[in-house]
Amino acid sequence: ELDFEDYKSDMVKGLVHLFGADEEVVLSAAHAALTSLVGHMEATEKKEDPKAPSVSCGVHVAVVLEEVKSLAAQASDAGVTGFNRPKGLAPILPFFQQALMHGATPETREQAAEGLGELVQSTSEAALKPMVTQMSGPLIRIIGDRFPSQVKA
């Protein structure tokens, strides 16, 4: 098994960036690769402690937020092409959800909340609809828990 720990952040950034591509083959490959990377990171954690929450994706929240903001700024009114695909948000959500729920600092959690907001604003209603339940669970928990007001805003 190859150790690519030192390259994960660059891989995540590059793959999220590809969600802004226009070519379906690129979007499909980026989606599949990011899904696989997220699955690998979560599976690696579960090997160490099957009961522990997955947190490895949350470590990359700043990189993902930066790319999502960049994609949103360049997107048309229809939103980011890769986010608007069926389950297009599925491989991106773990980064924000894990940081929101288990982020080490209030700043990390605030970045995660901001990232979810960016995703909502840069994704079509049709693409958001199947993801609403998955996205709203952590947000509901944030409102009920003792989190700083910056995270709740």
Side-chain angles (χ1 to χ4, degrees):
E1 187 173 312
L2 295 174
D3 181 21
F4 56 93
E5 192 66 38
D6 294 341
Y7 307 102
K8 278 184 187 172
S9 202
D10 290 335
M11 289 169 44
V12 167
K13 181 177 180 157
L15 290 171
V16 172
H17 179 77
L18 291 174
F19 276 59
D22 292 326
E23 302 83 20
E24 180 57 33
V25 67
V26 174
L27 293 170
S28 183
H31 189 276
L34 191 57
T35 299
S36 180
L37 181 60
V38 167
H40 174 78
M41 290 192 304
E42 290 176 344
T44 301
E45 284 180 329
K46 294 298 179 188
K47 278 185 197 173
E48 294 172 16
D49 183 358
K51 294 181 182 176
S54 294
V55 296
S56 59
C57 290
V59 172
H60 303 284
V61 71
V63 170
V64 176
L65 175 60
E66 178 185 331
E67 278 306 310
V68 167
K69 282 181 166 182
S70 174
L71 290 171
Q74 298 169 19
S76 69
D77 290 340
V80 176
T81 313
F83 299 168
N84 290 335
R85 300 177 77 243
K87 296 193 177 193
L89 296 179
I92 295 176
L93 283 178
F95 295 98
F96 294 128
Q97 289 175 318
Q98 290 176 18
L100 191 62
M101 299 303 296
H102 310 289
T105 65
E107 291 79 20
T108 300
R109 291 175 182 210
E110 186 177 345
Q111 287 176 328
E114 182 181 354
L116 286 174
E118 287 286 339
L119 285 179
V120 168
Q121 291 176 354
S122 57
T123 305
S124 69
E125 184 179 333
L128 278 174
K129 207 174 242 183
M131 308 302 293
V132 167
T133 304
Q134 188 178 352
M135 291 176 77
S136 60
L139 293 173
I140 291 169
R141 184 159 176 229
I142 293 300
I143 291 170
D145 283 349
R146 288 175 249 125
F147 286 94
S149 60
Q150 298 93 326
V151 175
K152 292 181 180 181

